[in-house]
Amino acid sequence: QHSANGSEWDHIANGMNWTGTCATGLNQSPISLNVEKAETSLMPRVFFGNYKLKLKGPISIINNGHTVFMNIPKTTNGKKPFIIGGTLKNRYEADGLHFHWGSKNSQGSEHLINNERFDLEMHIVHRNNKYKDIIKAVGKTDGLTVVGVLLKIVKKPKRKFPSLNRVLAAVAKIRKDNAKTTIRGGFSLGQMIGNVNPHDFFTYRGSLTTPSCQEAVTWIVFSEVLPVTYSSVSNFWKLLDHNNQKIINNFRSVQRLNGRHVFYRI
Ligand code: SG4
Ligand code: ZN
């Protein structure tokens, strides 16, 4: 049983079921994404600004009691990675990155693609430049854009992701609640996502997936799934929260669509 941050949640096999404000919204996340059911759209591609520039280290990675969180620093020439394009009307700066996972025996992505849940999901949270901080942004419908990248455990990945693996390796050092470590910079956010095909994605209007589940998020979930090895992600399942309980299955259950449009960019 989990309990963190004073918030209450029921932990069931299909993910976290938050109570309170999270239960009443009509534009909640995550959802089940379907290539067949989505509306195909010829929107602009998502443009990743400064995603190829190296990040300035040291970069802190923390076990915050419910996830592994990496602060996204500026690049070595003082710029912030950002995204624009898709359905976005403004520029959104990368702010932080975190993960959702299952357990040794269960998968833990938040979004499903074609009814399939994957092993993990990485979220890169971006804040609308119009708003000066996250606190301000979570109160606005155009406040945030979260880029979701699904990860799948395979025996022998055909592609390697050295930068992502550097972050995954750091997880072994932050087993306890509030534990921090740092990794060297010198890699880019683009390398973190393995230059995933940015042309194929789902996009829809939704919410944060943790309390208070504010409906402030334009979601961009890539349909390409990144392969990772069992050993590179197994440390997630050993992490502990502030009650010394394992942080496992920290994904939220699938939410109702309630007539929302889900676009699949082709
Ligand atoms: C995790 O709890 C992160 O630690 C939070 O990061 C994040 O909130 C929250 O998940 C919800 O994000 O992409 N899953 S999600 O909807 O980024 C925000 C922080 O609190 C606002 C910094
Ligand atoms: Zn998340």
Side-chain angles (χ1 to χ4, degrees):
Q1 283 295 329
H2 286 256
S3 80
N5 246 358
S7 315
E8 307 265 338
W9 71 68
D10 300 320
H11 172 219
I12 57 163
N14 291 324
M16 302 299 180
N17 263 331
W18 307 108
T19 55
T21 49
C22 295
T24 53
L26 295 175
N27 300 298
Q28 293 288 298
S29 295
I31 58 169
S32 184
L33 301 163
N34 255 285
V35 172
E36 305 277 294
K37 289 185 198 150
E39 300 168 39
T40 48
S41 167
L42 292 166
M43 71 186 74
R45 60 161 284 187
V46 175
F47 176 75
F48 292 87
N50 301 331
Y51 257 65
K52 287 193 174 143
L53 300 182
K54 297 202 160 108
L55 299 172
K56 191 174 186 321
I59 302 172
S60 71
I61 298 180
I62 174 169
N63 168 356
N64 68 9
H66 37 257
T67 189
V68 167
F69 181 83
M70 182 184 114
N71 179 48
I72 298 173
K74 287 187 172 153
T75 62
T76 48
N77 59 353
K79 303 215 164 107
K80 268 276 185 156
F82 69 93
I83 56 173
I84 193 163
T87 59
L88 305 175
K89 301 212 163 53
N90 301 97
R91 180 190 273 235
Y92 288 73
E93 270 185 15
D95 193 86
L97 175 157
H98 64 266
F99 297 86
H100 301 265
W101 58 87
S103 72
K104 207 167 172 249
N105 311 306
S106 56
Q107 296 178 302
S109 72
E110 297 210 296
H111 290 92
L112 310 191
I113 296 187
N114 300 335
N115 300 316
E116 190 180 350
R117 194 182 295 285
F118 293 90
D119 293 297
L120 296 95
E121 187 163 333
M122 176 168 73
H123 287 157
I124 310 176
V125 179
H126 298 72
R127 171 180 45 84
N128 193 330
N129 262 13
K130 282 205 293 196
Y131 309 121
K132 74 171 196 304
D133 55 37
I134 288 277
I135 297 171
K136 192 114 205 181
V138 294
K140 312 284 183 187
T141 53
D142 62 352
L144 300 171
T145 293
V146 183
V147 172
V149 186
L150 300 159
L151 309 178
K152 183 190 174 107
I153 296 171
V154 301
K155 284 233 164 70
K156 286 205 171 101
K158 285 204 187 75
R159 293 161 61 194
K160 290 210 164 92
F161 304 100
S163 309
L164 175 61
N165 285 331
R166 197 129 44 114
V167 175
L168 297 180
V171 174
K173 297 179 183 161
I174 51 170
R175 190 146 177 234
K176 292 206 172 121
D177 180 35
N178 254 312
K180 284 191 189 80
T181 187
T182 58
I183 56 170
R184 276 181 293 119
F187 64 89
S188 70
L189 217 44
Q191 286 170 326
M192 268 290 289
I193 59 172
N195 302 314
V196 71
N197 180 356
H199 297 283
D200 290 355
F201 57 83
F202 293 92
T203 188
Y204 75 97
R205 308 257 335 122
S207 74
L208 295 178
T209 64
T210 62
S212 308
C213 307
Q214 288 96 335
E215 295 177 344
V217 183
T218 300
W219 280 93
I220 295 175
V221 180
F222 291 116
S223 51
E224 192 182 330
V225 178
L226 297 187
V228 287
T229 60
Y230 183 94
S231 65
S232 68
V233 298
S234 58
N235 289 321
F236 279 106
W237 308 320
K238 297 174 191 155
L239 296 173
L240 301 173
D241 67 14
H242 75 299
N243 290 322
N244 271 336
Q245 300 291 307
K246 285 205 171 95
I247 306 171
I248 51 172
N249 299 316
N250 61 352
F251 62 97
R252 189 183 187 198
S253 59
V254 166
Q255 303 295 302
R256 286 205 174 81
L257 202 52
N258 295 319
R260 274 177 287 174
H261 294 279
V262 177
F263 299 104
Y264 181 54
R265 190 209 185 259
I266 46 157

